[in-house]
Amino acid sequence: MADTNQHPHPHEHGPHPTREDDDLELTAAEAKFLAFKSLLMEKGVVTPAEIQARMAVNQKSGYHHAARMIAKAWTDPAYKARLMDDAKAAAIELGIEVTEAKLVALENTPERHNLVVCTLCSCYPRSLLGEPPAWYVSKAYRSRAVREPRKVLREFGLDFPDSVEIMVHDSNADLRYVVVPMQPEGSEAMTEGELAGLVTRDCVVGAALPTEPNRAPA
């Protein structure tokens, strides 16, 4: 199925902070790093999955608010229904203060994978995830995620068959998205707290999958 790009709302920008260089092309050092990483993967020195696992460890400093919501949705069908209906209300239900005007949950399924981008600046669910990573606000990601999402996802270590539809969602100052990934196999007996530990920040924007239970970051 063909990739689908969603731009359902006018892109207006609020007072949230943005990186001063978020409209710049990659620096020479960044370009060299990406080229070196690609070469290592081509030569079989490292795999995309190994890179993503290392990134997950580096990013981990206790799970974020969105991980609590996702873990509860995995274990509580009634809560999941409320989350999909009104993500902001579902967050507030857990005592999470949400500063975004509107929050929409996107569910990944075996037939569909959701990817979030902000094409014009760096709109990001900060009240749930904190500040966005550098790659999210880079011009390269903001333009390429819309034009070639499958290629971008492969660079993150996610290679989906053509039968899986890739939906790209464009955030704006009034509307932010959170991706609800599929629960990984083998995690059914885990507690909500343990499940939350499998959900990295990048899962919530569709750039990663939950950590496998036997590879959960320490």
Side-chain angles (χ1 to χ4, degrees):
M1 186 175 293
D3 300 338
T4 304
N5 300 331
Q6 282 198 348
H7 300 275
H9 299 275
H11 209 302
E12 299 175 355
H13 307 290
H16 61 274
T18 58
R19 284 165 48 98
E20 292 180 355
D21 63 344
D22 66 357
D23 280 328
L24 298 179
E25 299 287 352
L26 292 176
T27 66
E30 289 170 332
K32 287 180 181 179
F33 168 75
L34 292 176
F36 183 62
K37 183 178 75 170
S38 297
L39 179 62
L40 290 176
M41 289 191 290
E42 289 174 7
K43 298 294 185 182
V45 178
V46 295
T47 66
E50 289 171 338
I51 292 174
Q52 193 65 28
R54 183 67 255 174
M55 289 172 63
V57 172
N58 292 344
Q59 295 162 3
K60 205 72 176 175
S61 59
Y63 55 76
H64 45 78
H65 289 312
R68 292 172 52 205
M69 298 166 63
I70 291 167
K72 187 168 182 61
W74 284 344
T75 59
D76 185 340
Y79 178 81
K80 178 181 177 180
R82 296 193 297 275
L83 172 64
M84 302 309 300
D85 182 62
D86 187 337
K88 183 172 182 176
I92 294 172
E93 180 180 330
L94 297 184
I96 300 169
E97 182 178 354
V98 179
T99 58
E100 289 77 15
K102 185 175 182 180
L103 196 64
V104 172
L106 309 166
E107 183 179 11
N108 284 348
T109 70
E111 296 79 29
R112 174 179 294 180
H113 182 84
N114 296 285
L115 180 66
V116 179
V117 66
C118 177
T119 55
L120 294 184
C121 65
S122 56
C123 295
Y124 190 75
R126 285 173 168 80
S127 62
L128 299 180
L129 299 179
E131 289 301 304
W135 60 261
Y136 183 87
V137 300
S138 71
K139 185 175 181 180
Y141 175 76
R142 292 188 286 112
S143 60
R144 293 182 61 226
V146 173
R147 291 186 289 104
E148 47 186 12
R150 288 183 186 275
K151 185 173 182 180
V152 169
L153 287 170
R154 280 196 294 271
E155 292 170 5
F156 279 105
L158 306 182
D159 193 1
F160 296 99
D162 291 343
S163 59
V164 176
E165 180 182 24
I166 306 299
M167 292 285 291
V168 179
H169 305 264
D170 195 358
S171 298
N172 61 53
D174 298 318
L175 172 63
R176 311 294 167 85
Y177 296 101
V178 290
V179 174
V180 181
M182 292 184 290
Q183 183 173 354
E185 294 184 5
S187 65
E188 294 77 12
M190 298 175 72
T191 65
E192 280 188 24
E194 292 169 336
L195 290 171
L198 304 180
V199 183
T200 66
R201 173 198 63 190
D202 292 352
C203 289
V204 185
V205 292
L209 298 181
T211 307
E212 296 176 9
N214 61 346
R215 298 181 63 180

